[in-house]
Amino acid sequence: MDSPSITMAIAILALICLSAYFSATETAFSSLNRIRLKSKADGGDRRAALALSLSEEYDRLLSTILIGNNIVNITATTVGTVLFTRLAGAYGPTVSTVVLTVVILIFGEISPKSLAKENPEKFAMASAPVLRVFLVILRPLNFLFAQWKRLLSVIFRTEESQGITEEELITMVSEAENEGGLDQHESELIRSAITFGDLEAGDILTPRVDIAAISDRATTEEIAAIFAESGYSRLPVYHEGIDDIIGVVHEKDFYSARYRGQGDISACISPIHYTAPNTRVDQLLRTLQTKKLHMAVVVDEYGGTEGLVTMEDIMEELVGEIWDEHDEVSEYFRPQGNGSYLISGSADLSDLYDLFSIRGQCDASTVSGWVVEQLRRLPQSGDRFQWEGLDVTVTQVDHRRVLEVLVKPVPEEAQ
C-alpha cells in the first residue's frame, strides 16, 4: 500500500476506536448505579464526582454521545469506501460495506457495550474527562437538537413523570437482592418499611376475644393471678365491661403498690389511647411515641372495643416476630407429610394466599374469618369445603371460633 492508503487505514482504526469509546460510554451512563457513584464521590473521588455531575444532564450527555458516534461511524464508512476503491477498484464500495459493517458491529458496538455493561461505574469514571471535552466541542449541535426536541414535545405532548411507584420500588429491591447487593433479611426489612404505610390498626390488632384485661374492682390477688397466667407486662383495665376500658396497669407499678400494701390499684392506672380501625399504623406509631404510651384501644363503629394494638405489634410489622423468653412460639403453618398443611385459625389470610399462590378476595383478614365466610354459618369440627383448588377441613373449634384447619391442594384431575 502507498502512503495515502496507510494514512486512511490508520484513520479508520482511530475512528473505530472512537466508535467503541462512544458506544461504551453510552452503555455505562445508562446502566450506572447513581447511589454507588455518589458514595464514591462523597469519599473524595474526583472522577466519580465528575461522572455524577455529567449523569445529571443525561439528555445533553446522550445527545453528545449519539452525535459523536454517528459522526465517527459515517466518517469511517466514507474513508473506508475511498480506501477500498483504491485497492479493489469497482468492487471497492461492496467490499468496504461488508468489511466495515462487520468490524464496526464487533469492535465498535457489541464488544464495548458488553464490557461497559459489566462495570458501568468504572467505564463512566474513565470516560468522563474526555466526554467533558466533547460536550464543549459539540455544544452548537446539541443546542440545535435541544430546540428540535422542544418542538417535538410541543407537537406530541407527553404525560408528566409520576415518579417511582411503590410497586416499582419493591421490584428494585427484589432486583438488588437477586444481584447480591442485599441479603434476604435486608430486603424483607426494606419491603416491610415500604408497605408499612399501607397498614391500618385493624390489620394488626389483637382481637377482643383474645384480650386479657382486669376489672378496676379486682383484688390484688386476682390481678396477680392474671399477670402470672397471661405473662403480659401491661394489662388494660375496664370499669363495667371490656367495652369500657379506662386505662392500663403496668406489672412493675402493680407489684410496687402491692409491696407497699396498697389494695386499691387506681393510683397505678395509666392513661390509654383510643383509635379507629382505619388509622394508619405509621400515624398510630407517631402518636404513641409522642404520648409515651405503649398500648391503644381500637374502637369499632358502635363505640365498643374491637381490639388492642401495642407498640410491639407495630414493630413486628417492620422487623418480624419478636419473641422473648416468656412467649410461646406459635407456628401458624405446619407442613404435613402428604403435602397438606395444618393452619392456625389466627394465621393471616394473605399468608395462606401466598403459600398456595392464590389470588383470592375476602372481607376477613384471618383464616378463621375466611372459613366462616365460606361456610356461611358457625363452623363445627369436621366441616369441609373446597375453594380455588384447596380442600379445607376444620379440625379444631373453640365455641364459635376456628382454631385450626387442614388444607390440602386438590389435584387438577380431581377438580
Side-chain angles (χ1 to χ4, degrees), residues 125-142:
M125 291 163 58
S127 63
V130 178
L131 189 59
R132 184 169 56 177
V133 176
F134 282 115
L135 282 169
V136 175
I137 296 173
L138 298 176
R139 185 182 294 273
L141 289 175
N142 266 328

Side-chain angles (χ1 to χ4, degrees), residues 364-396:
S365 59
T366 64
V367 172
S368 177
W370 169 66
V371 172
V372 173
E373 184 171 309
Q374 298 304 316
L375 292 175
R376 299 180 182 273
R377 58 175 173 81
L378 295 177
Q380 297 178 356
S381 181
D383 284 339
R384 185 178 178 184
F385 64 90
Q386 289 191 359
W387 180 85
E388 294 291 334
L390 299 178
D391 183 79
V392 183
T393 304
V394 180
T395 56
Q396 291 185 36

Side-chain angles (χ1 to χ4, degrees), residues 1-3 5-6 9 83 87:
M1 290 196 312
D2 55 7
S3 179
S5 298
I6 294 174
L83 173 62
L87 297 177

